[in-house]
Amino acid sequence: MKLIIAYIQPEKLTAVKQALYGKEVFKMSVTNALGCGQQKGYHETYRGADVEVNLLKKVRLEIAVNVEFVDATVDAIISAARTGKIGDGKIFIQNLEECIRIRTGEKGAEAIG
Amino acid sequence: MKLIIAYIQPEKLTAVKQALYGKEVFKMSVTNALGCGQQKGYHETYRGADVEVNLLKKVRLEIAVNVEFVDATVDAIISAARTGKIGDGKIFIQNLEECIRIRTGEKGAEAIG
Amino acid sequence: MKLIIAYIQPEKLTAVKQALYGKEVFKMSVTNALGCGQQKGYHETYRGADVEVNLLKKVRLEIAVNVEFVDATVDAIISAARTGKIGDGKIFIQNLEECIRIRTGEKGAEAIG
Amino acid sequence: MKKWKKTLLLIAGALALGAGVYAEEVAPAVTAADAMFTANNIWMMISIFLVFIMHLGFATVETGLTRAKNTVNILFKNTAIVAIGLLTYALIGFNLMYPGDFSIAGIFGFGGFGIAAPEGAAGLIDYAGGAYSYWTDFLFQGMFAATAATIVSGAVAERIKLGSFLIFSTLYIALVYPFVGSWVWGGGWLAEMNFHAGSTLVHSVGGWAALAGILLLGPRLGKYVNGKAKAIMGHNMPLLTIGVFLLWLGWFGFNGGSVLSGDPGAVSYVLVTTCMAAAAGIIGSMITTWTVQKKPDLTMVLNGCLAGLVGITAGADVVTVGAAILIGFICGVVAVLSVLGFDKLKIDDPVGATTVHLVCGVLGTLFVGVFSPDFSFLTQLIGVLAYGAVCFPAAFLIFLALKKTIGIRVSEEEELKGLDIGEHGMEAYSGFQFFTNS
Amino acid sequence: MKKWKKTLLLIAGALALGAGVYAEEVAPAVTAADAMFTANNIWMMISIFLVFIMHLGFATVETGLTRAKNTVNILFKNTAIVAIGLLTYALIGFNLMYPGDFSIAGIFGFGGFGIAAPEGAAGLIDYAGGAYSYWTDFLFQGMFAATAATIVSGAVAERIKLGSFLIFSTLYIALVYPFVGSWVWGGGWLAEMNFHAGSTLVHSVGGWAALAGILLLGPRLGKYVNGKAKAIMGHNMPLLTIGVFLLWLGWFGFNGGSVLSGDPGAVSYVLVTTCMAAAAGIIGSMITTWTVQKKPDLTMVLNGCLAGLVGITAGADVVTVGAAILIGFICGVVAVLSVLGFDKLKIDDPVGATTVHLVCGVLGTLFVGVFSPDFSFLTQLIGVLAYGAVCFPAAFLIFLALKKTIGIRVSEEEELKGLDIGEHGMEAYSGFQFFTNS
Amino acid sequence: MKKWKKTLLLIAGALALGAGVYAEEVAPAVTAADAMFTANNIWMMISIFLVFIMHLGFATVETGLTRAKNTVNILFKNTAIVAIGLLTYALIGFNLMYPGDFSIAGIFGFGGFGIAAPEGAAGLIDYAGGAYSYWTDFLFQGMFAATAATIVSGAVAERIKLGSFLIFSTLYIALVYPFVGSWVWGGGWLAEMNFHAGSTLVHSVGGWAALAGILLLGPRLGKYVNGKAKAIMGHNMPLLTIGVFLLWLGWFGFNGGSVLSGDPGAVSYVLVTTCMAAAAGIIGSMITTWTVQKKPDLTMVLNGCLAGLVGITAGADVVTVGAAILIGFICGVVAVLSVLGFDKLKIDDPVGATTVHLVCGVLGTLFVGVFSPDFSFLTQLIGVLAYGAVCFPAAFLIFLALKKTIGIRVSEEEELKGLDIGEHGMEAYSGFQFFTNS
Ligand SMILES: Nc1ncnc2c1ncn2[C@@H]1O[C@H](COP(=O)(O)OP(=O)(O)O)[C@@H](O)[C@H]1O
Ligand SMILES: Nc1ncnc2c1ncn2[C@@H]1O[C@H](COP(=O)(O)OP(=O)(O)O)[C@@H](O)[C@H]1O
Ligand SMILES: Nc1ncnc2c1ncn2[C@@H]1O[C@H](COP(=O)(O)OP(=O)(O)O)[C@@H](O)[C@H]1O
């Protein structure tokens, strides 16, 4: 099992969700995050004082999948989130040792989906 | 060392915390998250337009523990968070390579608790 | 590649960011979190009823780096976040198997920075 | 707004005082009585506006002191109540409260459905001795009517079913409030006893119903755990503060308008006692909360301000400035202790409505018998008991009937998710992130 | 505030009625006409305050019904509009609306730039038949002027360029509004036809411009996806509710002040019909939204309240109380259906301004011809059409000219990020966390 | 509200003008002077309400311009100040400000503790030449008293200890404000010199104390880093905007009530100059912020509006409409530059109180000598300097004494966590998620 973490532009969340559903990935967790990447920030001013905003709003997806779903999941995210512009985001993949469904106590591959 | 990530229903947080304390797990980090799982969402309407809300409010726990604490931690979470209803949540376990206490620079098993 | 997760005091974020920039670590993701650690909480009261607040506000950093950057990153965080007081925070290091830049599809070491 | 006609219309209008027929050739001379009538009526209209804005004050206070997930529901209830109050008062309430003649001596009378002004210019001037017009009278009284239900709204918040609450409010405002109101304002038996309660009547009528509602509903989930009161924090202190200031503002009309004319000496005196009691309520509750809770609690101090205002409402025109300060101060102290006390009794009132309106309303009414030589403590006590003896059971019965039939409490699941989603399918603060752990 | 001079100054002041020269020895006796003048003028000044606070009401309603990321922009527009409205009205508007003599019979006239009171005490008393002073008149009318642009502000929110909106508003308020206003209020051709619209005029003038703006701008990104309307939720229901209550409060002056004197009978009657229509609007929309949408939508009910208020504005002084309730109820029902209908037509109006001000403004004006025997339906229809025929094209042309030159819509990127960052480089709720997924 | 007694009581009440003895048989005829008295008094009571609501305006402006973590603290201070202001004014202030006779010629006098109306109906009518009642006078002045401390509250926000602030406010309102106030309003030496400042006096008295407080406290943590000003963003722009509109509304009573009668010409003229200056302040600051900061800053424009209002306060009754616009515009421009300037000087004023109240207050007072032929620039300058010479050192000394004893600044840790937790042990927005990185 793998844990896929993806940072995407907030406005792409709906499209990414649709794309994941299309690949039969229905389960995921979402948090909002602030990101510092290649995308440069912008300037705000407040009462004359300059504010450099370099932490930009991002959405963080966390998706646990069985190994055979990894490629489909990554492809789905990329296809929906890519605009070709800086700031599109990044995907990280980690190993996941165990997964347990709280309701039933099921473990592993059965529990994940 | 392992990193345990658990998604639970928000209203269960206090109970889970108590259960973890009972097992002498005192340290944890909490964020709020939105989750898409087996639990189906609900519909809102706003000025006549339908809104399907399928990202439900969840609480995400992140708990780093030494290997010998893994089972106790998982059990505590399950015992306090389980209602038997869809939406109870899920637990993920990952390997944790290193842990450092910023204040003292201690590392590993000492630092974790 | 490694994934470094650090919990720090919110007011240290700017300093930590500067320190990371100094070590040429420019990319990171930030979320806010609540933490339960050695730092004891505080009491609020509301209309006479006591409220024990033991989940304290923390900032969570997630930084993916190539292996050779791990030490520099950890040092930078510690140097900027340490005050010597309880509540300074903790750093966790995990293995990171893959990293993909959504915009270009680049993978691995190239994609991370 | 046809300015070209203005000169004509206005001379005529001002003089003819609303009569249908305007003399276009010879405008009769303005008399001093006309001018006084106009001035008095303007004062009463201002009071209408001030009492009206109290409804916004109540809405924001209740919203501020409850959780974000129940915000839409509270705003909805407070909006609907104003509409229900005004319409039922036009249909039934006004003529039940001011029946003219009583069918059952001093206890019950009904002047018929609907509202209609006395005819002609003479009718206008004759009405209320030329102090204000029929329509002004109706609207001033109508603005009060909804208040009783609004007081209940806060006390039962975060757990009552919307439909049941609206049915309760309609019945209570349309029937109970004007019925018991007629005993004093309509010239019934309590008026004949020289009972002096002024507008605190509204507070106690609302307060008793609030108590009945709370007892039948039970506390919110998670309020009392293992016998200990837990804090369920209100989500918006600026809203609360806006509400309290608006209520104080409204009280200028609530008490000042109750003088029923623009009499400079009498009205301004009432404004002074009202403000002094509010200020003393703030100081009284501030000292108490700082002492008892170690750190001064804003919500307690704002409750204390309202407590002072409710406390002075009965006696605003008949006590001295010194007594007003004392009354306000005592009510401020009592407010804090009463909120703590109700929690001890496991009576869960999220906004302190029973404390402010019932406890301090009763206290204020009794204080008239203490601080003014013209009124008897015994009569004041009888009045207070009489209202409790009718309002509490009446509210209890209506709530009970609803509980046995359509139910009054939302499901546990809905209570956890919030009534905004449950009753309205919407959120109050779309886009904002909440940490919802209760 | 020099109290040591008070006694002297005040006797003199009160009597001399603003005349420059104060008699210090022999104060002339106060006449009843002086007192009446003072009372009437006080009423009109109160109306000024009430109409003024409507601007805050509009600002908060529009803010509440849109997204957090566009809040600063909306507040900014509503602040700027008040300033632009008052200043252009002083420079041009007042004398365009009340030209005195028409250059083109009943259609166009201009009384010259700037404002200046008639001279001397006599001028004061003679002005408007002694009902109020020149300055009161100017300020009351000036407070209305900005309203038309404010109505547009909500409809075009979340996507219009700030600069273009300010230019549009300046032109529309300074030229179009007073020009068409003179037809009725200035004594022009519609006044001569006995057209009775009162202040709904403002609503329709604003409403037509709102419609023109929406059509040229197009819907917000993400509002209509695959031909279906998506919800773009407003971010702050308490702000919305505060706004609606403040607007209702303001309406007491909007309608009550339009009586143009403090006449007790006439003004208080208008207050009653106004309140009854607002209350019935709430009930009408509540029933409709509960039926159509299954759960009652707070935003619809608050729109319904405003719809009732707009609906009664034309006829407040000439219809019966029963008719007022009916008008309010119908407008409440229509409000809900109209919001749904505009969405079907893909006309994206975030706050329902076209529904409330245009649809219900037109309805209310026509209702005068239905419910009052003194006015002809045909004339009312002619008036309504005349305003549409001039205001819509005028607004459309101004917007079109702006679109072809400096552009009227912000970039897609700015719309996604929000106009607060884009136009102002700042945030409305610094520190709060949002979940921004649109 | 005993309607059955109404007719009788009201005829009597209206005529007897608050006298204790009511003739029940033969009601004396209403005189025009009675009606005028009633109308004037109503106007002054309205002014009381308007000035009262300014306190809510200040509370919301200050809350909006500071961080969420200090919200409870600011609301608490503003609530407590109103109570302290009213109570100390009743005890000491009123008779210190209006001593009747001066002990030290034109400089100091004290009329004794407490408040008491002149006796009998005659006393009422004689008081202030029949313009308003004793109680109206007291309450109008009392509402001003707290304002001075409120101005300080914003400037020292986010770092001052609650207890120290309350002690400072009590001393400053009870002693310093009425003492220096007596020089002008009490008929002291500046009144004799024909110094014309009107209510700007309040602004400068508050402004000097704000400056003293800021200098002794030092800037907020993180405000000036490496010699550069950093933005510490206010957390709630809708609250700020609500506050500014409420303040503008209140200013109608602040300036209009300072006419001290309902004189139609004089009052309405003051309302017009007030509005014109506010509008011009908006335009002036808008142009300046748009030019200097590239994008127009809402907080600057709202400060500019207040700056225009403060600027016109001294001369509202004596300058032309054109001059009012000019004064407002200049103050609007100055407001923006002054906020930037104070930041350059590292004087950290989170809400711009020193800019708005001190800088524009001084400017406005001087402008009277420039734009009105009746007043001398030199006298105006002397007045301004006199106030600075007493108020600044007085405030400085009180703050210094507190600093040396109980301390005036909260600990660094408390400042980081927020004063809501530190001073009150509670939060303003329970459940909302914040990103707290400072
Ligand atoms: N090395 C990293 N560690 C943690 N988060 C990262 C890293 N690189 C990118 N991110 C996250 O991804 C987001 C998008 O990255 P960005 O550099 O803008 O994309 P791109 O690589 O397409 O230019 C960032 O805002 C940040 O949240
Ligand atoms: N595969 C997954 N990847 C990421 N998060 C998941 C996954 N499965 C479940 N979750 C999280 O756990 C929450 C509860 O899951 P749910 O399916 O409702 O529980 P159950 O398995 O008991 O039906 C989800 O809302 C989501 O936040
Ligand atoms: N074992 C753990 N698992 C998850 N989070 C932890 C763990 N230990 C510490 N943390 C996070 O780090 C924060 C700081 O920890 P704390 O114990 O206060 O630091 P210190 O070790 O210096 O006393 C906590 O609030 C929590 O968010």
Side-chain angles (χ1 to χ4, degrees), chain F residues 2-161:
Chain F
K2 295 151 199 155
K3 200 182 170 186
W4 56 285
K5 279 201 199 164
K6 262 188 216 164
T7 314
L8 227 61
L9 267 176
L10 280 166
I11 298 177
L15 306 183
L17 296 163
V21 189
Y22 295 123
E24 299 214 349
E25 302 300 85
V26 221
V30 181
T31 70
D34 294 339
M36 185 62 105
F37 179 28
T38 305
N40 277 334
N41 192 69
I42 289 174
W43 169 248
M44 292 308 293
M45 295 195 297
I46 296 170
S47 298
I48 289 172
F49 307 156
L50 294 170
V51 178
F52 169 76
I53 212 60
M54 292 179 81
H55 290 291
L56 177 57
F58 279 114
T60 48
V61 162
E62 293 173 19
T63 305
L65 282 173
T66 50
R67 284 163 294 179
K69 63 184 179 181
N70 299 315
T71 296
V72 168
N73 184 250
I74 286 168
L75 298 171
F76 192 96
K77 286 192 301 183
N78 280 282
T79 305
I81 286 171
V82 180
I84 291 171
L86 284 170
L87 291 172
T88 59
Y89 205 70
L91 187 66
I92 290 183
F94 193 49
N95 283 326
L96 195 55
M97 192 134 161
Y98 299 103
D101 299 314
F102 279 87
S103 318
I104 306 168
I107 294 179
F108 174 82
F110 181 51
F113 292 98
I115 46 175
E119 301 213 347
L124 259 182
I125 296 174
D126 284 352
Y127 190 78
Y132 43 77
S133 75
Y134 175 84
W135 301 110
T136 304
D137 192 20
F138 162 72
L139 203 54
F140 182 66
Q141 305 298 341
M143 285 298 168
F144 275 74
T147 317
T150 304
I151 291 168
V152 184
S153 158
V156 300
E158 308 204 88
R159 57 207 190 281
I160 199 166
K161 275 189 179 174

Side-chain angles (χ1 to χ4, degrees), chain A residues 56-71:
Chain A
L56 301 173
K57 287 176 181 148
K58 300 282 163 190
V59 158
R60 177 183 191 273
L61 296 175
E62 204 168 72
I63 312 171
V65 289
N66 286 317
V67 194
E68 58 271 28
F69 273 89
V70 170
D71 288 347

Side-chain angles (χ1 to χ4, degrees), chain F residues 408-424:
Chain F
I408 53 175
R409 186 154 181 159
V410 301
S411 70
E412 208 174 303
E413 199 193 324
E414 178 173 337
E415 195 174 332
L416 284 172
K417 268 197 190 155
L419 278 69
D420 289 1
I421 295 297
E423 304 287 289
H424 304 277

